């Protein structure tokens, strides 16, 4: 097999990204080459910077360039409500509604025996400590409406048993199997407004 040249190797790297195939990757690479000064150069600089300092917020698990993310640092947000989500993409989906003004906790996945993901891997003990120590009055469990999402919800509810905290889940409008990222802001807003006690 002939050795691939650097441009083909770059196309292959893009094709590894979620949602991109070989065709769209080729188009992206050509577009970047064509727009070297306006697009490629600033992008490379940004990515370099990201590679060096991007990390997870020490409090909530959101991605951030600082030790504490913008949401955790925002003094104007409600401190007594915490919304638990599977991933940063769900956090972004909720933030887009501009309705929710509380705190978050990003698990970074769901419990899975098959993949060896237990409570520790998801930082659930830290979440429980946070809820106990930060005078939280409501925990919104906004995991996706999938079987693993719901088992994770159930597990967290069990851990919170005995604490005097309101536990809610998203209400109407979330289809079964629905992932927040695929829903429009109106549906998420309605689900937030109609959240029910677990
Ligand atoms: Zn944070």
């Amino acid at each position: 097999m002939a050795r691939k040249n650097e441009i083909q190797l770059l196309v292959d790297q893009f094709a590894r990204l979620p949602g991109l195939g070989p065709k769209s990757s080729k188009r992206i690479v050509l577009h970047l080459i064509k727009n070297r000064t306006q697009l490629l150069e600033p992008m490379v600089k940004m990515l370099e910077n990201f590679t060096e300092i991007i990390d997870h917020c020490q409090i909530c698990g959101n991605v951030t360039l600082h030790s504490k993310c913008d949401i955790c640092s925002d003094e104007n947000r409600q401190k007594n409500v915490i919304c638990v989500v599977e991933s940063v993409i769900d956090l972004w989906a909720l933030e887009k509604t501009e309705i929710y003004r509380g705190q978050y906790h990003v698990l970074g996945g769901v419990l899975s025996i098959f993949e060896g993901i237990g409570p520790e891997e998801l930082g659930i003990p830290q979440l429980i400590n946070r809820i106990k120590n930060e005078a939280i009055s409501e925990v919104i469990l906004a995991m996706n409406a999938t079987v693993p999402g719901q088992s994770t919800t159930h597990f967290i509810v069990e851990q919170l048993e005995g604490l005097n905290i309101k536990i809610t889940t998203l209400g109407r409008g979330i289809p079964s199997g629905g992932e927040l990222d695929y829903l429009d802001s109106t549906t998420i807003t309605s689900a937030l407004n109609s959240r029910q006690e677990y």
Side-chain angles (χ1 to χ4, degrees):
M1 210 170 75
R3 205 172 142 259
K4 285 187 174 180
N5 72 26
E6 281 86 351
I7 296 172
Q8 281 168 331
L9 289 171
L10 183 61
V11 170
D12 290 350
Q13 288 298 326
F14 273 98
R16 292 170 69 183
L17 298 175
L20 294 182
K23 273 190 186 167
S24 39
S25 304
K26 271 181 214 159
R27 274 201 293 270
I28 290 173
V29 168
L30 284 178
H31 189 74
L32 287 172
I33 294 170
K34 232 186 265 176
N35 298 281
R36 188 177 169 148
T37 348
Q38 310 93 306
L39 213 55
L40 184 57
E41 283 174 10
M43 198 182 266
V44 168
K45 278 201 190 103
M46 242 184 230
L47 287 173
E48 237 167 23
N49 190 26
F50 268 46
T51 314
E52 272 168 34
I53 56 174
I54 192 91
D55 208 348
H56 291 276
C57 171
Q58 288 168 0
I59 299 170
C60 75
N62 189 9
V63 279
T64 175
L65 299 178
H66 314 278
S67 60
K68 207 172 167 187
C69 76
D70 292 348
I71 295 172
C72 290
S73 315
D74 188 344
E75 286 306 316
N76 295 316
R77 294 186 72 116
Q78 261 182 293
K79 297 283 177 199
N80 61 334
V81 185
I82 187 164
C83 179
V84 185
V85 291
E86 281 180 27
S87 72
V88 173
I89 209 150
D90 300 325
L91 181 155
W92 288 342
L94 285 157
E95 278 300 284
K96 214 175 131 208
T97 65
E98 293 180 5
I99 275 284
Y100 179 68
R101 297 290 298 152
Q103 307 297 309
Y104 286 98
H105 201 92
V106 182
L107 294 174
V110 279
L111 294 171
S112 163
I113 297 169
F114 301 113
E115 290 169 48
I117 303 172
E120 271 77 30
E121 280 74 27
L122 299 180
I124 292 177
Q126 288 93 308
L127 167 66
I128 306 300
N129 279 337
R130 215 183 141 191
I131 293 168
K132 284 181 183 165
N133 299 331
E134 287 183 22
I136 301 290
S137 58
E138 180 181 355
V139 178
I140 305 169
L141 297 170
M143 267 66 83
N144 290 322
T146 56
V147 174
Q150 292 315 297
S151 331
T152 310
T153 300
H154 188 72
F155 180 83
I156 295 175
V157 170
E158 278 179 349
Q159 305 301 303
L160 294 174
E161 224 166 272
L163 299 176
N164 187 24
I165 291 166
K166 190 174 169 189
I167 303 170
T168 56
T169 53
L170 295 181
R172 63 169 179 265
I174 305 280
S176 169
E179 298 187 22
L180 289 180
D181 181 41
Y182 293 102
L183 302 174
D184 60 86
S185 291
T186 321
T187 308
I188 301 177
T189 301
S190 140
L192 263 172
N193 287 335
S194 64
R195 60 186 189 265
Q196 300 146 349
E197 277 207 52
Y198 189 84

